[in-house]
């Protein structure tokens, strides 16, 4: 009983170890899914992706002991814990606000279902999750699939104004992220 309490207290101080242990459990789940279920290729692929993502932070833990890599690993930990969390919160608030506004604008979408040029047929922002993903993609300069549909909404001038507000603000935010990481 005392050993399990000490083990849990130790895990709370090392989030990378928690992630690593959960990825070890996912290895076991992947093996069991392969043995028990017949259609496990998709499940095993998804689990493998999360397993690989979960083992890297623990690998960085061991790289701290290498003389050349140690300071860089500590710098990565410091940047992730301080700057990236602050940036992530600010960026999340920013993206959620603009994605909600784009979702409301595209709720009046009345476009046709024919493909014209770069525009794919149909409403590109049918759901909130698609709106969030496309807003993030727009901040990474993949805005062609959205901007070509602006004139097919009832609020085309408002959508252009929102886009013109969104792009410079997102560029400034991403440049600040780059400067914070240097």
């Amino acid at each position: 009983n005392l050993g399990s309490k000490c083990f849990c207290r130790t895990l709370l101080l090392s989030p990378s170890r928690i992630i690593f242990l959960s990825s070890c459990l996912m290895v076991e789940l992947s093996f069991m899914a392969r043995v028990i279920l017949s259609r496990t290729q998709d499940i095993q692929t998804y689990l493998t992706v999360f397993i690989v993502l979960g083992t890297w932070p623990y690998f960085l833990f061991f790289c701290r002991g290498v003389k050349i890599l140690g300071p860089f690993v500590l710098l990565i930990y410091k940047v992730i814990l301080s700057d990236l969390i602050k940036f992530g919160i600010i960026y999340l608030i920013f993206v959620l606000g603009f994605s909600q506004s784009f979702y409301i604008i595209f709720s009046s979408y009345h476009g046709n279902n024919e493909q014209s040029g770069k525009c794919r047929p149909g409403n590109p922002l049918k759901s909130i999750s698609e709106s969030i993903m496309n807003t993030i993609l727009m901040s990474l300069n993949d805005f062609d699939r959205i901007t070509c549909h602006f004139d097919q909404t009832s609020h085309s001038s408002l959508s252009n104004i929102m886009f013109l507000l969104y792009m410079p603000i997102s560029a400034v935010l991403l440049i600040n992220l780059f400067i914070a990481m240097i």
Side-chain angles (χ1 to χ4, degrees):
N1 194 3
L2 182 61
S4 62
K5 287 181 184 177
C6 184
F7 179 72
C8 291
R9 242 182 292 141
T10 306
L11 284 181
L12 290 176
L13 297 174
S14 178
S16 62
R17 185 157 170 85
I18 294 172
I19 295 169
F20 176 72
L21 290 176
S22 63
S23 65
C24 288
L25 288 174
M26 283 189 273
V27 169
E28 296 297 322
L29 286 175
S30 173
F31 176 72
M32 287 190 289
R34 181 79 175 219
V35 171
I36 295 171
L37 302 174
S38 61
R39 297 183 327 160
T40 59
Q41 188 65 30
D42 292 338
I43 295 170
Q44 193 171 16
T45 303
Y46 294 137
L47 284 174
T48 305
V49 167
F50 288 111
I51 289 167
V52 170
L53 289 175
T55 55
W56 274 101
Y58 199 59
F59 175 72
L60 287 177
F61 172 77
F62 290 111
C63 288
R64 290 188 313 178
V66 179
K67 188 175 184 178
I68 297 173
L69 297 177
F72 294 114
V73 171
L74 293 176
L75 181 69
I76 290 170
Y77 281 155
K78 180 183 163 230
V79 166
I80 288 173
L81 288 177
S82 61
D83 298 334
L84 285 181
I85 290 176
K86 291 175 193 173
F87 172 79
I89 292 170
I90 293 168
Y91 188 69
L92 181 70
I93 292 169
F94 170 75
V95 165
L96 288 177
F98 273 97
S99 67
Q100 186 176 13
S101 68
F102 282 123
Y103 176 73
I104 291 170
I105 289 170
F106 273 86
S107 65
S108 66
Y109 182 78
H110 53 76
N112 55 9
N113 287 331
E114 298 174 7
Q115 186 165 353
S116 61
K118 290 185 177 180
C119 285
R120 294 182 180 157
N123 187 353
L125 304 178
K126 289 179 271 201
S127 66
I128 299 251
S129 60
E130 286 183 17
S131 177
I132 292 170
M133 281 305 299
N134 282 315
T135 305
I136 291 170
L137 289 174
M138 276 196 301
S139 69
L140 300 173
N141 284 337
D142 187 19
F143 46 81
D144 291 340
R145 72 176 108 186
I146 305 297
T147 56
C148 63
H149 291 284
F150 283 170
D151 58 345
Q152 298 172 356
T153 64
S154 299
H155 312 287
S156 61
S157 60
L158 181 62
S159 61
N160 285 321
I161 291 170
M162 290 303 294
F163 178 73
L164 290 176
L165 281 173
Y166 175 73
M167 288 313 291
I169 294 172
S170 68
V172 167
L173 273 174
L174 291 175
I175 289 171
N176 282 334
L177 169 69
F178 179 69
I179 291 171
M181 290 181 68
I182 293 179

